[in-house]
Amino acid sequence: MRAVFSLSRKLRPVVSRGLVCSSRTLSSPFTTLTQKRYFSTASDSKPAAPSTPPPPPPPPSGPPPPPPPPQDFTIYNHVPKVAPKRLIDKMRMGQEVYILDVRPLEEFNKIHIKGAGSAPYENIREISPRINKEMPIFLYGNKVKGMELQCKTQIILSELGFESYVLLGGVEDLINAGFAYESQQDII
């Protein structure tokens, strides 16, 4: 069955905000469709507004804030680093070591490796006389910001005559590698 459409073109101009609307109706026994087309009027005194996005807001007054310092840890390439698994192997073979946490005391109290001592970077020169120089020292801290503190602490300890190494990763990495931990709350 073919649908029969009758086309009746009626031009009914309607002016609204400077636009003229003409409509055309397509009808069949089942539906009626109306097509509308909008166009500008010639008598419109205002030009049509361009469709450009609004201008960006003006920049803030005053000097721009300084960019964040780049985290270039290549300056610490000379610092000896050890993977946590290698330290576990040394400890299983019976080697005695010091494990020091270089984070601030508040962070140490929240969670730390069992048996580790707290040696915040800011206090390392005062703490160093109490450390046995005969045992190697392994330093850990936070993964990102602690890595820099670990390296700085290692440099100070090596200048003072200690054999020291930086453990790669942070507290969570050491726990995942198999170290036991002490915590104020359970993190599992």
Side-chain angles (χ1 to χ4, degrees), residues 52-97:
T52 58
S61 60
Q71 294 205 354
D72 181 20
F73 293 116
T74 57
I75 59 173
Y76 300 118
N77 282 347
H78 68 284
V79 174
K81 299 170 186 77
V82 175
K85 293 283 186 187
R86 295 205 26 121
L87 177 57
I88 289 173
D89 293 342
K90 288 181 183 240
M91 292 169 65
R92 283 184 182 151
M93 292 173 30
Q95 185 174 357
E96 293 186 75
V97 298

mmCIF file of all heavy atoms in Angstrom, residues 52-97:
data_model
loop_
_atom_site.group_PDB
_atom_site.id
_atom_site.type_symbol
_atom_site.label_atom_id
_atom_site.label_comp_id
_atom_site.label_asym_id
_atom_site.label_seq_id
_atom_site.Cartn_x
_atom_site.Cartn_y
_atom_site.Cartn_z
ATOM 1 N N THR A 52 29.786 33.496 18.060
ATOM 2 C CA THR A 52 31.139 33.293 18.590
ATOM 3 C C THR A 52 31.039 33.136 20.096
ATOM 4 O O THR A 52 30.160 33.707 20.735
ATOM 5 C CB THR A 52 32.050 34.498 18.259
ATOM 6 O OG1 THR A 52 31.456 35.664 18.814
ATOM 7 C CG2 THR A 52 32.230 34.643 16.761
ATOM 8 N N PRO A 53 31.945 32.380 20.681
ATOM 9 C CA PRO A 53 31.913 32.205 22.135
ATOM 10 C C PRO A 53 32.272 33.516 22.819
ATOM 11 O O PRO A 53 32.935 34.374 22.235
ATOM 12 C CB PRO A 53 32.964 31.127 22.389
ATOM 13 C CG PRO A 53 33.859 31.175 21.221
ATOM 14 C CD PRO A 53 33.023 31.648 20.067
ATOM 15 N N PRO A 54 31.843 33.693 24.064
ATOM 16 C CA PRO A 54 32.189 34.921 24.780
ATOM 17 C C PRO A 54 33.695 34.989 25.003
ATOM 18 O O PRO A 54 34.382 33.972 25.061
ATOM 19 C CB PRO A 54 31.434 34.779 26.111
ATOM 20 C CG PRO A 54 31.178 33.323 26.258
ATOM 21 C CD PRO A 54 31.087 32.767 24.870
ATOM 22 N N PRO A 55 34.222 36.208 25.124
ATOM 23 C CA PRO A 55 35.673 36.335 25.335
ATOM 24 C C PRO A 55 36.069 35.747 26.677
ATOM 25 O O PRO A 55 35.277 35.710 27.607
ATOM 26 C CB PRO A 55 35.904 37.845 25.296
ATOM 27 C CG PRO A 55 34.586 38.439 25.654
ATOM 28 C CD PRO A 55 33.541 37.483 25.140
ATOM 29 N N PRO A 56 37.312 35.271 26.803
ATOM 30 C CA PRO A 56 37.758 34.710 28.077
ATOM 31 C C PRO A 56 37.833 35.807 29.128
ATOM 32 O O PRO A 56 37.988 36.977 28.798
ATOM 33 C CB PRO A 56 39.146 34.141 27.762
ATOM 34 C CG PRO A 56 39.596 34.897 26.568
ATOM 35 C CD PRO A 56 38.357 35.266 25.796
ATOM 36 N N PRO A 57 37.734 35.436 30.401
ATOM 37 C CA PRO A 57 37.813 36.449 31.455
ATOM 38 C C PRO A 57 39.201 37.066 31.473
ATOM 39 O O PRO A 57 40.190 36.436 31.082
ATOM 40 C CB PRO A 57 37.540 35.657 32.741
ATOM 41 C CG PRO A 57 37.842 34.244 32.399
ATOM 42 C CD PRO A 57 37.586 34.099 30.925
ATOM 43 N N PRO A 58 39.285 38.301 31.913
ATOM 44 C CA PRO A 58 40.606 38.949 31.950
ATOM 45 C C PRO A 58 41.514 38.255 32.946
ATOM 46 O O PRO A 58 41.049 37.684 33.930
ATOM 47 C CB PRO A 58 40.283 40.383 32.392
ATOM 48 C CG PRO A 58 38.976 40.274 33.103
ATOM 49 C CD PRO A 58 38.236 39.143 32.448
ATOM 50 N N PRO A 59 42.810 38.270 32.694
ATOM 51 C CA PRO A 59 43.740 37.617 33.627
ATOM 52 C C PRO A 59 43.740 38.346 34.966
ATOM 53 O O PRO A 59 43.438 39.542 35.027
ATOM 54 C CB PRO A 59 45.098 37.729 32.921
ATOM 55 C CG PRO A 59 44.942 38.865 31.970
ATOM 56 C CD PRO A 59 43.490 38.911 31.588
ATOM 57 N N PRO A 60 44.052 37.637 36.043
ATOM 58 C CA PRO A 60 44.075 38.286 37.354
ATOM 59 C C PRO A 60 45.162 39.349 37.400
ATOM 60 O O PRO A 60 46.194 39.238 36.733
ATOM 61 C CB PRO A 60 44.371 37.147 38.336
ATOM 62 C CG PRO A 60 44.950 36.055 37.515
ATOM 63 C CD PRO A 60 44.430 36.245 36.120
ATOM 64 N N SER A 61 44.883 40.394 38.165
ATOM 65 C CA SER A 61 45.869 41.474 38.259
ATOM 66 C C SER A 61 47.040 41.017 39.130
ATOM 67 O O SER A 61 46.911 40.134 39.969
ATOM 68 C CB SER A 61 45.213 42.719 38.855
ATOM 69 O OG SER A 61 44.729 42.419 40.143
ATOM 70 N N GLY A 62 48.159 41.638 38.920
ATOM 71 C CA GLY A 62 49.347 41.292 39.685
ATOM 72 C C GLY A 62 50.210 40.286 38.951
ATOM 73 O O GLY A 62 49.842 39.782 37.886
ATOM 74 N N PRO A 63 51.357 39.980 39.503
ATOM 75 C CA PRO A 63 52.250 39.025 38.820
ATOM 76 C C PRO A 63 51.671 37.618 38.880
ATOM 77 O O PRO A 63 50.981 37.265 39.830
ATOM 78 C CB PRO A 63 53.559 39.127 39.613
ATOM 79 C CG PRO A 63 53.129 39.582 40.969
ATOM 80 C CD PRO A 63 51.924 40.474 40.747
ATOM 81 N N PRO A 64 51.959 36.821 37.865
ATOM 82 C CA PRO A 64 51.453 35.441 37.882
ATOM 83 C C PRO A 64 52.154 34.636 38.960
ATOM 84 O O PRO A 64 53.291 34.931 39.336
ATOM 85 C CB PRO A 64 51.804 34.903 36.492
ATOM 86 C CG PRO A 64 52.954 35.744 36.050
ATOM 87 C CD PRO A 64 52.750 37.097 36.679
ATOM 88 N N PRO A 65 51.478 33.619 39.498
ATOM 89 C CA PRO A 65 52.127 32.805 40.537
ATOM 90 C C PRO A 65 53.297 32.037 39.939
ATOM 91 O O PRO A 65 53.277 31.672 38.760
ATOM 92 C CB PRO A 65 51.023 31.846 40.992
ATOM 93 C CG PRO A 65 50.068 31.790 39.857
ATOM 94 C CD PRO A 65 50.145 33.130 39.166
ATOM 95 N N PRO A 66 54.331 31.810 40.737
ATOM 96 C CA PRO A 66 55.483 31.081 40.198
ATOM 97 C C PRO A 66 55.100 29.632 39.898
ATOM 98 O O PRO A 66 54.265 29.050 40.582
ATOM 99 C CB PRO A 66 56.520 31.147 41.322
ATOM 100 C CG PRO A 66 55.709 31.352 42.553
ATOM 101 C CD PRO A 66 54.490 32.143 42.134
ATOM 102 N N PRO A 67 55.698 29.055 38.862
ATOM 103 C CA PRO A 67 55.387 27.655 38.555
ATOM 104 C C PRO A 67 55.940 26.752 39.650
ATOM 105 O O PRO A 67 56.912 27.102 40.330
ATOM 106 C CB PRO A 67 56.104 27.401 37.225
ATOM 107 C CG PRO A 67 57.204 28.409 37.194
ATOM 108 C CD PRO A 67 56.690 29.610 37.950
ATOM 109 N N PRO A 68 55.320 25.581 39.852
ATOM 110 C CA PRO A 68 55.848 24.678 40.878
ATOM 111 C C PRO A 68 57.233 24.198 40.479
ATOM 112 O O PRO A 68 57.529 24.039 39.288
ATOM 113 C CB PRO A 68 54.841 23.519 40.893
ATOM 114 C CG PRO A 68 54.170 23.571 39.574
ATOM 115 C CD PRO A 68 54.191 25.015 39.142
ATOM 116 N N PRO A 69 58.106 23.985 41.464
ATOM 117 C CA PRO A 69 59.453 23.545 41.113
ATOM 118 C C PRO A 69 59.407 22.144 40.499
ATOM 119 O O PRO A 69 58.626 21.304 40.920
ATOM 120 C CB PRO A 69 60.196 23.524 42.451
ATOM 121 C CG PRO A 69 59.124 23.411 43.470
ATOM 122 C CD PRO A 69 57.911 24.075 42.890
ATOM 123 N N PRO A 70 60.212 21.927 39.473
ATOM 124 C CA PRO A 70 60.220 20.590 38.869
ATOM 125 C C PRO A 70 60.806 19.574 39.846
ATOM 126 O O PRO A 70 61.708 19.884 40.619
ATOM 127 C CB PRO A 70 61.115 20.749 37.642
ATOM 128 C CG PRO A 70 61.988 21.918 37.959
ATOM 129 C CD PRO A 70 61.171 22.819 38.851
ATOM 130 N N GLN A 71 60.266 18.377 39.810
ATOM 131 C CA GLN A 71 60.777 17.323 40.687
ATOM 132 C C GLN A 71 61.792 16.509 39.901
ATOM 133 O O GLN A 71 61.479 15.465 39.349
ATOM 134 C CB GLN A 71 59.638 16.463 41.198
ATOM 135 C CG GLN A 71 58.724 17.234 42.101
ATOM 136 C CD GLN A 71 57.995 16.344 43.068
ATOM 137 O OE1 GLN A 71 58.079 15.137 42.999
ATOM 138 N NE2 GLN A 71 57.285 16.949 43.983
ATOM 139 N N ASP A 72 62.988 17.037 39.864
ATOM 140 C CA ASP A 72 64.056 16.388 39.122
ATOM 141 C C ASP A 72 64.916 15.629 40.125
ATOM 142 O O ASP A 72 65.722 16.220 40.833
ATOM 143 C CB ASP A 72 64.880 17.439 38.383
ATOM 144 C CG ASP A 72 66.001 16.825 37.575
ATOM 145 O OD1 ASP A 72 65.927 15.612 37.282
ATOM 146 O OD2 ASP A 72 66.951 17.538 37.237
ATOM 147 N N PHE A 73 64.692 14.326 40.204
ATOM 148 C CA PHE A 73 65.441 13.512 41.150
ATOM 149 C C PHE A 73 66.727 12.967 40.536
ATOM 150 O O PHE A 73 67.394 12.139 41.140
ATOM 151 C CB PHE A 73 64.576 12.367 41.677
ATOM 152 C CG PHE A 73 63.429 12.847 42.523
ATOM 153 C CD1 PHE A 73 62.127 12.654 42.123
ATOM 154 C CD2 PHE A 73 63.658 13.495 43.711
ATOM 155 C CE1 PHE A 73 61.073 13.103 42.898
ATOM 156 C CE2 PHE A 73 62.613 13.955 44.506
ATOM 157 C CZ PHE A 73 61.317 13.756 44.090
ATOM 158 N N THR A 74 67.085 13.423 39.336
ATOM 159 C CA THR A 74 68.326 12.957 38.724
ATOM 160 C C THR A 74 69.543 13.453 39.508
ATOM 161 O O THR A 74 70.613 12.876 39.381
ATOM 162 C CB THR A 74 68.437 13.401 37.259
ATOM 163 O OG1 THR A 74 68.342 14.831 37.189
ATOM 164 C CG2 THR A 74 67.332 12.777 36.424
ATOM 165 N N ILE A 75 69.352 14.496 40.315
ATOM 166 C CA ILE A 75 70.487 14.976 41.122
ATOM 167 C C ILE A 75 70.853 13.962 42.203
ATOM 168 O O ILE A 75 71.911 14.059 42.807
ATOM 169 C CB ILE A 75 70.187 16.358 41.750
ATOM 170 C CG1 ILE A 75 68.954 16.293 42.641
ATOM 171 C CG2 ILE A 75 70.025 17.418 40.694
ATOM 172 C CD1 ILE A 75 68.696 17.564 43.433
ATOM 173 N N TYR A 76 69.978 12.987 42.439
ATOM 174 C CA TYR A 76 70.245 11.954 43.440
ATOM 175 C C TYR A 76 70.615 10.611 42.805
ATOM 176 O O TYR A 76 70.522 9.583 43.466
ATOM 177 C CB TYR A 76 69.028 11.777 44.357
ATOM 178 C CG TYR A 76 68.657 13.034 45.096
ATOM 179 C CD1 TYR A 76 67.420 13.635 44.904
ATOM 180 C CD2 TYR A 76 69.542 13.628 45.990
ATOM 181 C CE1 TYR A 76 67.078 14.791 45.581
ATOM 182 C CE2 TYR A 76 69.206 14.781 46.666
ATOM 183 C CZ TYR A 76 67.975 15.360 46.458
ATOM 184 O OH TYR A 76 67.638 16.508 47.130
ATOM 185 N N ASN A 77 71.025 10.621 41.561
ATOM 186 C CA ASN A 77 71.387 9.360 40.906
ATOM 187 C C ASN A 77 72.573 8.673 41.576
ATOM 188 O O ASN A 77 72.697 7.458 41.525
ATOM 189 C CB ASN A 77 71.698 9.587 39.420
ATOM 190 C CG ASN A 77 70.444 9.726 38.592
ATOM 191 O OD1 ASN A 77 69.347 9.426 39.049
ATOM 192 N ND2 ASN A 77 70.592 10.201 37.377
ATOM 193 N N HIS A 78 73.445 9.436 42.201
ATOM 194 C CA HIS A 78 74.632 8.852 42.845
ATOM 195 C C HIS A 78 74.322 8.199 44.190
ATOM 196 O O HIS A 78 75.151 7.485 44.738
ATOM 197 C CB HIS A 78 75.700 9.940 43.021
ATOM 198 C CG HIS A 78 75.319 10.990 44.024
ATOM 199 N ND1 HIS A 78 74.402 11.980 43.746
ATOM 200 C CD2 HIS A 78 75.703 11.184 45.310
ATOM 201 C CE1 HIS A 78 74.262 12.746 44.804
ATOM 202 N NE2 HIS A 78 75.036 12.293 45.771
ATOM 203 N N VAL A 79 73.139 8.449 44.723
ATOM 204 C CA VAL A 79 72.761 7.891 46.024
ATOM 205 C C VAL A 79 72.465 6.401 45.854
ATOM 206 O O VAL A 79 71.679 6.016 44.996
ATOM 207 C CB VAL A 79 71.523 8.634 46.583
ATOM 208 C CG1 VAL A 79 71.023 7.978 47.847
ATOM 209 C CG2 VAL A 79 71.846 10.095 46.830
ATOM 210 N N PRO A 80 73.101 5.536 46.672
ATOM 211 C CA PRO A 80 72.841 4.087 46.544
ATOM 212 C C PRO A 80 71.425 3.730 46.990
ATOM 213 O O PRO A 80 70.976 4.151 48.053
ATOM 214 C CB PRO A 80 73.898 3.437 47.437
ATOM 215 C CG PRO A 80 74.342 4.504 48.364
ATOM 216 C CD PRO A 80 74.116 5.815 47.683
ATOM 217 N N LYS A 81 70.746 2.983 46.137
ATOM 218 C CA LYS A 81 69.359 2.586 46.405
ATOM 219 C C LYS A 81 69.254 1.070 46.388
ATOM 220 O O LYS A 81 69.976 0.396 45.666
ATOM 221 C CB LYS A 81 68.432 3.196 45.365
ATOM 222 C CG LYS A 81 68.456 4.724 45.362
ATOM 223 C CD LYS A 81 67.710 5.295 44.176
ATOM 224 C CE LYS A 81 67.860 6.783 44.116
ATOM 225 N NZ LYS A 81 69.127 7.259 43.612
ATOM 226 N N VAL A 82 68.318 0.548 47.190
ATOM 227 C CA VAL A 82 68.137 -0.902 47.317
ATOM 228 C C VAL A 82 66.649 -1.200 47.238
ATOM 229 O O VAL A 82 65.830 -0.504 47.847
ATOM 230 C CB VAL A 82 68.708 -1.407 48.663
ATOM 231 C CG1 VAL A 82 68.419 -2.875 48.864
ATOM 232 C CG2 VAL A 82 70.191 -1.132 48.756
ATOM 233 N N ALA A 83 66.307 -2.256 46.500
ATOM 234 C CA ALA A 83 64.918 -2.713 46.426
ATOM 235 C C ALA A 83 64.563 -3.415 47.735
ATOM 236 O O ALA A 83 65.413 -4.072 48.356
ATOM 237 C CB ALA A 83 64.731 -3.658 45.247
ATOM 238 N N PRO A 84 63.318 -3.300 48.180
ATOM 239 C CA PRO A 84 62.917 -3.936 49.449
ATOM 240 C C PRO A 84 63.179 -5.441 49.483
ATOM 241 O O PRO A 84 63.581 -5.976 50.526
ATOM 242 C CB PRO A 84 61.425 -3.637 49.536
ATOM 243 C CG PRO A 84 61.220 -2.425 48.701
ATOM 244 C CD PRO A 84 62.228 -2.500 47.616
ATOM 245 N N LYS A 85 62.989 -6.131 48.381
ATOM 246 C CA LYS A 85 63.213 -7.593 48.353
ATOM 247 C C LYS A 85 64.673 -7.938 48.650
ATOM 248 O O LYS A 85 64.961 -8.937 49.300
ATOM 249 C CB LYS A 85 62.812 -8.171 46.986
ATOM 250 C CG LYS A 85 61.328 -8.091 46.693
ATOM 251 C CD LYS A 85 60.583 -9.149 47.439
ATOM 252 C CE LYS A 85 59.123 -9.164 47.035
ATOM 253 N NZ LYS A 85 58.332 -10.044 47.821
ATOM 254 N N ARG A 86 65.592 -7.104 48.169
ATOM 255 C CA ARG A 86 67.021 -7.365 48.438
ATOM 256 C C ARG A 86 67.333 -7.208 49.920
ATOM 257 O O ARG A 86 68.134 -7.951 50.474
ATOM 258 C CB ARG A 86 67.904 -6.460 47.591
ATOM 259 C CG ARG A 86 67.736 -6.779 46.122
ATOM 260 C CD ARG A 86 68.871 -6.428 45.256
ATOM 261 N NE ARG A 86 70.166 -6.380 45.834
ATOM 262 C CZ ARG A 86 71.186 -7.127 45.438
ATOM 263 N NH1 ARG A 86 71.018 -8.002 44.480
ATOM 264 N NH2 ARG A 86 72.363 -6.990 45.970
ATOM 265 N N LEU A 87 66.703 -6.228 50.575
ATOM 266 C CA LEU A 87 66.918 -6.057 52.011
ATOM 267 C C LEU A 87 66.351 -7.249 52.771
ATOM 268 O O LEU A 87 66.981 -7.742 53.714
ATOM 269 C CB LEU A 87 66.279 -4.761 52.503
ATOM 270 C CG LEU A 87 66.386 -4.511 54.016
ATOM 271 C CD1 LEU A 87 67.837 -4.519 54.494
ATOM 272 C CD2 LEU A 87 65.698 -3.230 54.396
ATOM 273 N N ILE A 88 65.195 -7.744 52.364
ATOM 274 C CA ILE A 88 64.617 -8.930 53.018
ATOM 275 C C ILE A 88 65.573 -10.116 52.888
ATOM 276 O O ILE A 88 65.802 -10.862 53.847
ATOM 277 C CB ILE A 88 63.233 -9.260 52.422
ATOM 278 C CG1 ILE A 88 62.215 -8.200 52.855
ATOM 279 C CG2 ILE A 88 62.764 -10.638 52.837
ATOM 280 C CD1 ILE A 88 60.859 -8.318 52.196
ATOM 281 N N ASP A 89 66.174 -10.277 51.703
ATOM 282 C CA ASP A 89 67.141 -11.363 51.496
ATOM 283 C C ASP A 89 68.343 -11.217 52.427
ATOM 284 O O ASP A 89 68.804 -12.202 53.014
ATOM 285 C CB ASP A 89 67.608 -11.403 50.039
ATOM 286 C CG ASP A 89 66.504 -11.804 49.079
ATOM 287 O OD1 ASP A 89 65.485 -12.380 49.533
ATOM 288 O OD2 ASP A 89 66.644 -11.524 47.861
ATOM 289 N N LYS A 90 68.875 -9.993 52.589
ATOM 290 C CA LYS A 90 70.019 -9.771 53.482
ATOM 291 C C LYS A 90 69.653 -10.095 54.925
ATOM 292 O O LYS A 90 70.439 -10.686 55.656
ATOM 293 C CB LYS A 90 70.482 -8.310 53.389
ATOM 294 C CG LYS A 90 71.186 -7.963 52.113
ATOM 295 C CD LYS A 90 71.620 -6.506 52.131
ATOM 296 C CE LYS A 90 72.254 -6.149 50.819
ATOM 297 N NZ LYS A 90 73.613 -5.700 50.952
ATOM 298 N N MET A 91 68.451 -9.707 55.323
ATOM 299 C CA MET A 91 68.019 -9.968 56.701
ATOM 300 C C MET A 91 67.808 -11.464 56.937
ATOM 301 O O MET A 91 68.111 -11.965 58.028
ATOM 302 C CB MET A 91 66.745 -9.175 57.005
ATOM 303 C CG MET A 91 66.988 -7.662 57.045
ATOM 304 S SD MET A 91 65.495 -6.665 57.097
ATOM 305 C CE MET A 91 64.826 -7.116 58.670
ATOM 306 N N ARG A 92 67.319 -12.183 55.940
ATOM 307 C CA ARG A 92 67.144 -13.635 56.074
ATOM 308 C C ARG A 92 68.486 -14.345 56.196
ATOM 309 O O ARG A 92 68.581 -15.412 56.804
ATOM 310 C CB ARG A 92 66.371 -14.184 54.873
ATOM 311 C CG ARG A 92 64.895 -13.904 54.952
ATOM 312 C CD ARG A 92 64.141 -14.541 53.817
ATOM 313 N NE ARG A 92 62.731 -14.195 53.914
ATOM 314 C CZ ARG A 92 61.921 -14.100 52.905
ATOM 315 N NH1 ARG A 92 62.353 -14.328 51.677
ATOM 316 N NH2 ARG A 92 60.659 -13.783 53.081
ATOM 317 N N MET A 93 69.524 -13.766 55.592
ATOM 318 C CA MET A 93 70.858 -14.352 55.669
ATOM 319 C C MET A 93 71.537 -14.016 56.997
ATOM 320 O O MET A 93 72.666 -14.430 57.246
ATOM 321 C CB MET A 93 71.717 -13.872 54.496
ATOM 322 C CG MET A 93 71.214 -14.423 53.175
ATOM 323 S SD MET A 93 72.010 -13.801 51.666
ATOM 324 C CE MET A 93 73.644 -13.418 52.092
ATOM 325 N N GLY A 94 70.861 -13.254 57.851
ATOM 326 C CA GLY A 94 71.394 -12.973 59.186
ATOM 327 C C GLY A 94 72.133 -11.652 59.311
ATOM 328 O O GLY A 94 72.698 -11.380 60.365
ATOM 329 N N GLN A 95 72.150 -10.816 58.293
ATOM 330 C CA GLN A 95 72.848 -9.536 58.393
ATOM 331 C C GLN A 95 72.044 -8.580 59.276
ATOM 332 O O GLN A 95 70.826 -8.447 59.127
ATOM 333 C CB GLN A 95 73.055 -8.913 57.010
ATOM 334 C CG GLN A 95 73.878 -7.649 57.064
ATOM 335 C CD GLN A 95 74.206 -7.109 55.678
ATOM 336 O OE1 GLN A 95 73.859 -7.707 54.675
ATOM 337 N NE2 GLN A 95 74.891 -5.987 55.644
ATOM 338 N N GLU A 96 72.730 -7.942 60.223
ATOM 339 C CA GLU A 96 72.078 -6.972 61.097
ATOM 340 C C GLU A 96 72.098 -5.607 60.421
ATOM 341 O O GLU A 96 73.124 -5.189 59.883
ATOM 342 C CB GLU A 96 72.785 -6.895 62.438
ATOM 343 C CG GLU A 96 72.643 -8.169 63.264
ATOM 344 C CD GLU A 96 73.242 -7.987 64.638
ATOM 345 O OE1 GLU A 96 72.597 -7.306 65.450
ATOM 346 O OE2 GLU A 96 74.340 -8.504 64.853
ATOM 347 N N VAL A 97 70.953 -4.940 60.452
ATOM 348 C CA VAL A 97 70.834 -3.634 59.799
ATOM 349 C C VAL A 97 69.994 -2.711 60.672
ATOM 350 O O VAL A 97 69.229 -3.162 61.524
ATOM 351 C CB VAL A 97 70.161 -3.757 58.406
ATOM 352 C CG1 VAL A 97 70.975 -4.622 57.471
ATOM 353 C CG2 VAL A 97 68.735 -4.265 58.505
#
